[in-house]
Structure formats: C-alpha cells, structure tokens
Amino acid sequence: MAEPASHYVPLDVPLPPVPTTKIFTEEQWTTLLSLADTVIPSIRSPTAYKSASTKVIPHSELNKSLATLTKSIHSPDAGTIAAQYLEEDASSNPLFREGLQRLFAQYVHDEGRNGLGFILNALNTRAGSLLLTGSVTPIHEQPLHVREEIFRGWETSRLSPLRGVYRACTGMFKQTWVKFSPTLAPVLGFPRVPVHGKPADGFKHTFLQFPAADEPETIETDVVIVGSGCGGSVAAKNLAEAGHKVLVLDKSYHYTSNHFPMNFNEAFNSMFESGGAVVTDDGSMAVLAGSTWGGGGTVNWSAALQTQGFVREEWAKNGLPFFTSMEFQNCLDRVSERMGVDVEHIKHNKTNRFILEGARRLGYAAKTVPQNTGHTEHYCGYCTLGCHSTGKKGPTETFLADAATAGATFIEGFRANKILFTDTKDGQVASGVEGVWTSRDAYLGRSGATAVTRNVIIKAKRVVVSCGTLQSPLLLLRSGLKNPQIGRNLHLHPVAIAGAVLDEEFRPWEGAALTTVVNELENLDNQGHGVKIEALSMVPAAFLPLFPWRNGLDYKLWVQKLPRMAGLIMLARDRGTGRVYPDPGDGRIRIDYAVSPTDRKHIVEGIIASAKMAYVSGAKEFHTSWREVPPFIRPVESDAEDTEGANNAALQAWIAEVRRKKPLDPERTMFASAHQMGTCRMGKSPRTSVVDSDCQVWGTRGLYVVDASVFPSASGVNPMLTNMAIADRASRNLARSMRRGDQNFHARL
C-alpha cells in the first residue's frame, strides 16, 4: 500500500563528483564570487558584523524587512529563519561554488567560458578595472554598495561584452542560489515532496548490458530508434506491435518513479538538456528541453492539446494535405486515448482558477486544457521534477511500456555518433547507427569512473531519429548529410513570464500546473500568430530565476512572495525563426535565435491582457520578466469597491507606459522556451525541407525523423500530441512498407 506523500522520501539521484577541470584561476574565482555576492548579498544592519559580501541597510529598513518575512513564514522559528535568510550570501555556501564549477565544466561552451574569463582577468588589472568599472581598485575589493552600483551599470553599458556578462551572471547566480540555498525552502514553505498524490511504482523498464571489451559490440535489428521521447516511443510501440524487431536508444538514463520528484539540482542535471543551462547565443532566452528516458514527456506538465484547425490548414496548404484528413485526426485521437487524455477529471488549482476568473470578468475566450492523466484526477504540481505518482501517463508509462511488452529492447546511456549508410547505385541507404555506450555506475553512468564504456555498432534495416528538435539535426549533420535546411526553421514558442501577487496564499506549486488557456489573442495578425496566456509550473527553480534583479534586498523580498503568487506565461506562436548548429569547438548545441519584432509586439499584448486579468481578479502587484517595465502596484484606494475594473486610471497609466517602451528589448527581457520545433522541417521539396510527408529524410532511403523537429512551422500549442500523432502516422506507414518490402526512394539532393 502506498504511503502518504508527506512520509515519502524519494530515492537519491547521486550526481558525479564535481569536475576538477581548472576553469578559472583562484583570482578569477575571487572576482566571480564577489559578483555573486553582489547579486545575493548578506543583508545586515550598520552595527552587525560586516564582510565583503554584506549589504548594509538602516536598522529601520532591516526591521521592516524582518517583520515582512516573519509574517509570511509558517514556523515557530519564523524570526530566526527570516534573519538567516537575509544574512545568507552566495559565496559562503560551498555548494554554490560547486554548482558553478559543474555548470562551467560540463555545460558552458568554450566561447562562453573564455569570454567570461577574459572579463574576469581584465577586472583584476588596474587598466582593465579602470576601463570596466571607472576605478583602479579591483571590483572584488570594493565595498558591496559600490560593487552593486558598478554591476547595475553594466546592464546598460556601451560595451556589449559587459552587458552580456551582466545578463549571464545575474541569470546563473539566481539559478544556482535557488538550487542550493538552505534557507529558501523554509522561507517559502516549499515541501520536498508534493502534499497531494500518493507515490506509486511505474513500469519496470530493463536495458541491454554489455561486457567490457576493446572491439565494438555489434547488434542486428529491424528498426533502430534513436531517442525515447514522445515521437520515438510511439514509433517503437507501433513497429514492435507490427512484429518488427525494435531497438530504442537514448543518451540519457532511466529513473524510476521512486526517484521522483528529484530535488532541483538532481532534476536539472539528470533530466534536462545540458543541465537546464541551454541559452540562445544572444543570452536572451533560456531553453528547457527534456533529456531523460521518455524525453520531454517525462518532465512536461500534462497539457495535451490537439493541433488546432487553422494550423492544420496552414500546413495542408503548403503541400501536406494529410494534416486536414481524418487519418491525422484518427492519429491524434489514438495517441490521446492511450494516455487517457480528457478534461472530465481535472481539478484546477488556485492559479488556474484565478486565470479563468480573470478571463471571465473581461469576456476573454478561455478553456480547460485536457490532461494526459489516464482518465483520473492528477493534482501534483511537481511533474517537471518527475511524477512520483505515475498519474501523468507519459511515454515511460504508456508507449514505451507497450513497446517493451511487444518485444522491443532498450539501451540507455548510448551516445549516437553517426548514422551508418550503405552506398548503392540509387543513393544512400541507412543501415545502422554507431555510438558509445556507458553503463550505469554509482552515479548512474555519468561519472565514467567505474562505468563500462563500449563502442557499439547497430545494424538495422531502418533508422528512425527521434532525438528532439535540438539534437536530431546535429546527428544528421554528424552523419554527413548536407541539406542546408538541416537545423534551420527553428521555432521556440517564446514566452514572457508574469507573477501576480495577492493577499491570499496560493501555494502555487500545488495542483496540476497547466489546466487552462486563454485564447483571446491567438490570432493578432489574422494569419494565426499571436499569444496564448497560460499557467505554468511554479516550483521555485523553474520560476524565480527568470525575473529581474534590481538589487540584493529587493530580490530576496520579492522571492518570498512566491507563496502568494499566481504565475502566468504569454506564449507566442512565433513567426520568426532561428537555427540550431553545432559548436565549432566541441559540437554541443548552439542556438541562433532572436524573438522577432512582430512576436515581441504580440507578447506585449499578452502582458497587457494578463495585467488586466490579474487586476480584475484582485492582484495587488503584477511583475514581469521584462526588466525595463516596473511592476504594477495596485493603489490602496482601489481596494474599496472597484467599479472601474480594468479601466482603473493607475492601471491604464501603467499600460500606456508599457506601450511607450521598445517592445521587449531582448537585452532587457528574459524569455523562456519549453517547446522546440522545426529544425528538420517536413515539406514537399528538399529545397525547403528535410523530410517528406512520410518523415523520410530527403536524399536517403530508410532514414526517418519522428519528433517535433519535423513540424512545418510552430504548432501554437504544447507540441506533445502533434508530435505523437505525426509519429503514429509515420511509423504505421513504415510498418506497412516494411511488410511490403517497399523502399521508397527520393532523388539525391
């Protein structure tokens, strides 16, 4: 019998030892940590002990801050907890430096490390310090109030490298502090595990193992699928159930439901691409992509929206008529039914009820978002850290389980180096995959210290790539394919984020994260592009780091309001595109993408609409991830009976100020993306696309891509069901063609 969640302790997910790679000199570390203490300082009174990390404020201001914090903390030791929270700085916590060391050693590309190292070196010279700070005194020797003034000035510096350092440092310092702060959870009242939902055992997946050997291991199969996410899992189920021998590979590892929810540090390092540290080249957008067994379906929020009609019509008009056929609708319905998608068992949490009520009071179009929760109520809120109740029916509990039952075999910890081809007189025929397998060890394979590493060659009749929008194009490029469309046409559904602060405690991390959507502004250009307003996961590490830093005290006091916040995202169906490409140094993911002016204007309209919704629903404050716009603070006099609603003069003045600003200047805004699409676009010609309508790669035989990278353009909704439906159709067609022995061939590029 499952024990109550309050008594449940997830299994540890041990991280490998922090890499000992020398990233910075001790002098550089001293300077970097002094900047970290500028962002997360110790807050003390003039008479208290002071260090280089201390922000000194008057007794009256300190007492007021302590009183505010103490009032919000539900503990007999509230006063002590509040004082410890204000006194905490970044550098005194050894885990903070370890977190930065891991970040730079494992996830930051050489260009980023070298660029920051150059600035840190310059700051430690008299000439460089004078140029960058206006003083010959090294910045780490400056008192904190001077350091803070210098650091804030970098945000708008004439020197673009300084603006970049400001943006990068504030982001990584906030993120690292939220992950490792010993005082944050007690201040917020954020529990280690959800208070709702009972732990349950999930499907027991098993994986092939290989002995150590110098020569490569060779395996033969009918179909090899690279990637276990939403698309790959559906393809595995269909092909295995059709009687084919199927092998599924994934570079990541499987974690059972007993490991969930992970803590912030475990989750980001174990289940997200590049430790959750992927950012666009210009630093304006954080890109979250799942990288674990089950892919994004393991860490998403259960939202299961079908492809909208106007998007399907757009794709059909571009030479892909099956998107408006009953065949595609049947695919959508089939994958939905397998995951138990419905709206009948939804229980809205306070944030989603807040959004629905705001939309109702303004007459905005809004609806409930179907959930893939097996036709049962799922009221958790922690699913981005892994679902401990197995109530979310993602790939590991559905399609991969079905594939295993039908005889498919799995390999975790497999990094695919390249696709193998056989040259024939008709062109290239995909014949397998070559890569490196790393076994589990005490750190689930990731340390390499005691793990077995083995080269593996997989020979297959068909190769299906499902590595995700960020990785699939890189695998095609590593395999020698030359189509210039590979990696291009990237869509990211850029979002800006808002937090509405109320008097009432919301505990917004409780309950299903995204069960409502406001569609009022989804077609602002009359071509199907606009914004949707939705709720989001409110676990602290996924929400707090995206908001602006103005000074250390301001940020700490803002953070403690999280229990009284409703979070909203303004998600754009982007017209603009970007590209994914390999880093020239080490081949890792690089993203060249800037939110287009049109998409930024659309998001601004979403911000304004969200502010109106928040106001009419009683919010006292409205904060956004747009640094240039101050938060809206509700006038005290409006707390009386308010007959003006969104016509309130103060709100309208704030809206007018928003409209006067340059729309969401990328250097003053932190965007985020959880949806990546389009880098192996489907189309009717190799001149404009990477795969055909059957998801077969142009210029090859036997090579297919089935993930969100094949979307012809942005889906406008959470991509899971669209991804799965495309994979369902493609894999069923592939199974039929294999039965016929048919190998459709496209002329080489």
Side-chain angles (χ1 to χ4, degrees), residues 561 620-623 631-636 650 654:
K561 297 176 183 178
K620 303 301 181 183
E621 302 173 19
F622 185 79
H623 300 254
F632 172 75
I633 308 299
R634 191 186 194 100
V636 175
W654 182 85

Side-chain angles (χ1 to χ4, degrees), residues 452-507:
V452 174
T453 299
R454 184 82 180 269
N455 292 326
V456 179
I457 296 172
I458 297 160
K459 298 179 179 179
K461 299 173 184 176
R462 301 290 190 278
V463 176
V464 176
V465 173
S466 188
C467 307
T469 296
L470 303 183
Q471 290 284 4
S472 285
L474 300 192
L475 177 57
L476 297 185
L477 292 171
R478 288 199 302 272
S479 304
L481 298 183
K482 303 297 184 183
N483 186 336
Q485 293 298 319
I486 296 172
R488 296 191 176 275
N489 310 302
L490 172 68
H491 292 271
L492 290 177
H493 278 175
V495 305
I497 300 176
V501 182
L502 296 104
D503 284 337
E504 177 187 359
E505 189 168 83
F506 264 43
R507 298 181 65 81

Side-chain angles (χ1 to χ4, degrees), residues 78-133:
T80 301
I81 293 170
Q84 291 173 341
Y85 175 71
L86 288 183
E87 290 170 4
E88 178 188 347
D89 59 35
S91 66
S92 296
N93 183 353
L95 294 177
F96 186 91
R97 175 166 172 170
E98 288 182 7
L100 291 182
Q101 171 73 11
R102 187 185 300 278
L103 174 70
F104 283 110
Q106 295 182 188
Y107 304 126
V108 177
H109 51 72
D110 291 343
E111 182 182 340
R113 285 196 302 267
N114 294 339
L116 179 58
F118 178 81
I119 295 293
L120 295 175
N121 274 340
L123 288 168
N124 286 317
T125 67
R126 290 173 61 86
S129 182
L130 181 62
L131 173 65
L132 301 179
T133 73

Side-chain angles (χ1 to χ4, degrees), residues 566-583:
L568 304 92
I569 57 174
M570 289 60 70
L571 180 151
R573 180 177 183 241
D574 41 338
R575 287 176 55 176
T577 63
R579 68 183 178 109
V580 171
Y581 66 99
D583 183 89

Side-chain angles (χ1 to χ4, degrees), residues 343-662:
V343 296
E344 285 75 23
H345 296 86
I346 290 174
K347 177 183 177 182
H348 295 300
N349 68 2
K350 287 186 176 181
T351 295
N352 283 279
R353 294 201 302 270
F354 172 85
I355 291 173
L356 282 174
E357 181 61 13
R360 185 191 70 80
R361 292 184 178 188
L362 293 172
Y364 288 170
K367 68 176 184 179
T368 296
V369 174
Q371 307 284 293
N372 63 316
T373 55
H375 301 300
T376 59
E377 182 183 297
H378 181 60
Y379 198 74
C380 168
Y382 282 50
C383 280
T384 199
L385 306 174
C387 184
H388 74 304
S389 71
T390 72
K392 181 177 71 175
K393 301 305 179 184
T396 60
E397 298 302 316
T398 54
F399 301 104
L400 289 170
D402 294 346
T405 302
T409 52
F410 303 145
I411 302 178
E412 61 178 354
F414 184 98
R415 290 191 172 271
N417 291 332
K418 63 180 180 180
I419 300 159
L420 302 175
F421 293 97
T422 300
D423 290 325
T424 71
K425 61 183 179 63
D426 295 320
Q428 286 188 313
V429 177
S431 56
V433 174
E434 180 182 289
V436 178
W437 169 75
T438 303
S439 72
R440 288 175 174 248
D441 61 4
Y443 304 102
L444 300 181
R446 292 167 299 171
S447 74
T450 59
V452 174
T453 299
R454 184 82 180 269
N455 292 326
V456 179
I457 296 172
I458 297 160
K459 298 179 179 179
K461 299 173 184 176
R462 301 290 190 278
V463 176
V464 176
V465 173
S466 188
C467 307
T469 296
L470 303 183
Q471 290 284 4
S472 285
L474 300 192
L475 177 57
L476 297 185
L477 292 171
R478 288 199 302 272
S479 304
L481 298 183
K482 303 297 184 183
N483 186 336
Q485 293 298 319
I486 296 172
R488 296 191 176 275
N489 310 302
L490 172 68
H491 292 271
L492 290 177
H493 278 175
V495 305
I497 300 176
V501 182
L502 296 104
D503 284 337
E504 177 187 359
E505 189 168 83
F506 264 43
R507 298 181 65 81
W509 50 79
E510 293 182 4
L514 200 174
T515 58
T516 61
V517 58
V518 178
N519 296 321
E520 182 73 15
L521 306 175
E522 68 181 7
N523 188 21
L524 291 173
D525 66 350
N526 294 317
Q527 297 179 47
H529 299 95
V531 290
K532 290 180 172 66
I533 300 170
E534 300 174 335
L536 76 159
S537 173
M538 294 285 280
V539 295
F543 181 77
L544 296 175
L546 296 170
F547 283 80
W549 176 89
R550 292 180 171 87
N551 64 64
L553 177 61
D554 173 85
Y555 188 68
K556 284 189 176 182
L557 292 179
W558 178 82
V559 162
Q560 63 86 27
K561 297 176 183 178
L562 180 65
R564 296 185 289 117
M565 281 191 207
L568 304 92
I569 57 174
M570 289 60 70
L571 180 151
R573 180 177 183 241
D574 41 338
R575 287 176 55 176
T577 63
R579 68 183 178 109
V580 171
Y581 66 99
D583 183 89
D586 56 23
R588 74 178 71 209
I589 295 166
R590 296 289 297 271
I591 300 175
D592 177 15
Y593 182 99
V595 184
S596 73
T598 296
D599 295 326
R600 296 203 306 268
K601 289 177 182 177
H602 290 170
I603 294 172
V604 168
E605 293 305 314
I607 289 173
I608 291 170
S610 297
K612 291 179 179 179
M613 289 165 53
Y615 184 88
V616 300
S617 293
K620 303 301 181 183
E621 302 173 19
F622 185 79
H623 300 254
T624 76
S625 57
W626 186 0
R627 172 68 176 82
E628 205 166 11
V629 171
F632 172 75
I633 308 299
R634 191 186 194 100
V636 175
E637 58 269 19
S638 71
D639 289 345
E641 185 175 347
D642 186 355
T643 59
E644 292 181 308
N647 295 324
N648 174 268
L651 177 62
Q652 287 299 318
W654 182 85
I655 290 171
E657 182 179 357
V658 168
R659 293 196 186 281
R660 282 195 297 270
K661 301 287 186 183
K662 177 182 177 181

